[in-house]
Amino acid sequence: MSTLMKEKQMAARVRPLTPGELTAEQSALYGAITGGLRAQEPQHFALTAEDGALRGPFDLMLRSPAVGTAQQELGTAIRFRTALSDRVRELAILLVAAHRDSTFERESHEAIARALGFGEPELAAVRTLDLSGFSGGERTVGQAVLELLDGDLSDASWDSASAALGLDGLFELTALVGYYSTLALQLRVFRVD
């Protein structure tokens, strides 16, 4: 096992902040997260721990309220204001989580995907980046996500994805891949599960 893989299994590098520890700027961001669209939708995963601390990437966003606010707003736009269908969005997020080995994002978004009708065989396949069980637009988008995770789109995938999503939707997909890749990196570096 590599040194990085061993370190990844170690304890978190930061302790989550509880509401009583927050500055005014952090409290405003905390309120935007816990009172925003994420909190208003059916809860498939908890945003906060029992002590009120934010879970996963949301606690990390508090470390820099200016950047965290922008990041939180981008995440809200990607989750709730794009033209991507719910299933396509969750498939894309889960592919990023699998590719980046992001436990928190995988577990959180698998719960959402199950509520959208993803079956266990589909989720198991996505964990291994296997798109063979998907067809049509979902498979097209999934293939585009896998290529984006490698840094670009081939001309054939550009043609297929832009036909399936339109140029606006393809822009949204690239933003999604970038956003969830950033979260995966932050979760890994700070050793947050």
Side-chain angles (χ1 to χ4, degrees):
M1 182 179 285
S2 75
T3 302
L4 279 177
M5 287 181 71
K6 287 179 187 173
E7 287 179 3
K8 186 178 168 198
Q9 296 173 356
M10 294 173 64
R13 290 179 166 161
V14 295
R15 181 185 54 75
L17 298 171
T18 60
E21 299 174 291
L22 304 179
T23 66
E25 293 83 10
Q26 290 169 327
S27 290
L29 176 53
Y30 181 97
I33 294 168
T34 60
L37 288 175
R38 283 181 187 88
Q40 295 170 17
E41 71 169 0
Q43 292 300 295
H44 302 290
F45 65 93
L47 288 173
T48 59
E50 289 182 19
D51 64 359
L54 291 170
R55 295 183 61 236
F58 305 110
D59 175 71
L60 296 176
M61 292 175 189
L62 297 174
R63 307 308 166 141
S64 173
V67 174
T69 296
Q71 193 174 26
Q72 185 286 132
E73 289 172 354
L74 176 60
T76 297
I78 289 168
R79 285 276 316 280
F80 303 106
R81 297 187 192 118
T82 68
L84 302 173
S85 74
D86 291 343
R87 278 187 60 94
V88 161
R89 182 194 67 238
E90 292 306 317
L91 173 60
I93 293 168
L94 288 171
L95 287 168
V96 174
H99 183 82
R100 302 286 187 219
D101 194 25
S102 180
T103 303
F104 180 87
E105 293 302 333
R106 180 183 54 79
E107 290 175 356
S108 299
H109 287 276
E110 279 187 358
I112 296 168
R114 282 185 191 95
L116 294 172
F118 280 75
E120 290 306 317
E122 288 175 306
L123 295 174
V126 171
R127 286 182 211 119
T128 64
L129 306 175
D130 176 8
L131 297 170
S132 62
F134 294 91
S135 61
E138 289 180 354
R139 188 172 183 139
T140 298
V141 170
Q143 185 59 46
V145 169
L146 294 179
E147 287 189 29
L148 288 169
L149 287 164
D150 285 336
D152 199 359
L153 279 181
S154 66
D155 289 341
S157 291
W158 166 269
D159 292 342
S160 298
S162 60
L165 297 173
L167 294 179
D168 294 353
L170 186 51
F171 174 81
E172 293 169 349
L173 186 66
T174 62
L176 180 154
V177 171
Y179 173 76
Y180 282 96
S181 291
T182 298
L183 293 185
L185 174 64
Q186 291 168 332
L187 291 166
R188 186 170 43 258
V189 168
F190 287 88
R191 306 293 191 258
V192 176
D193 285 334

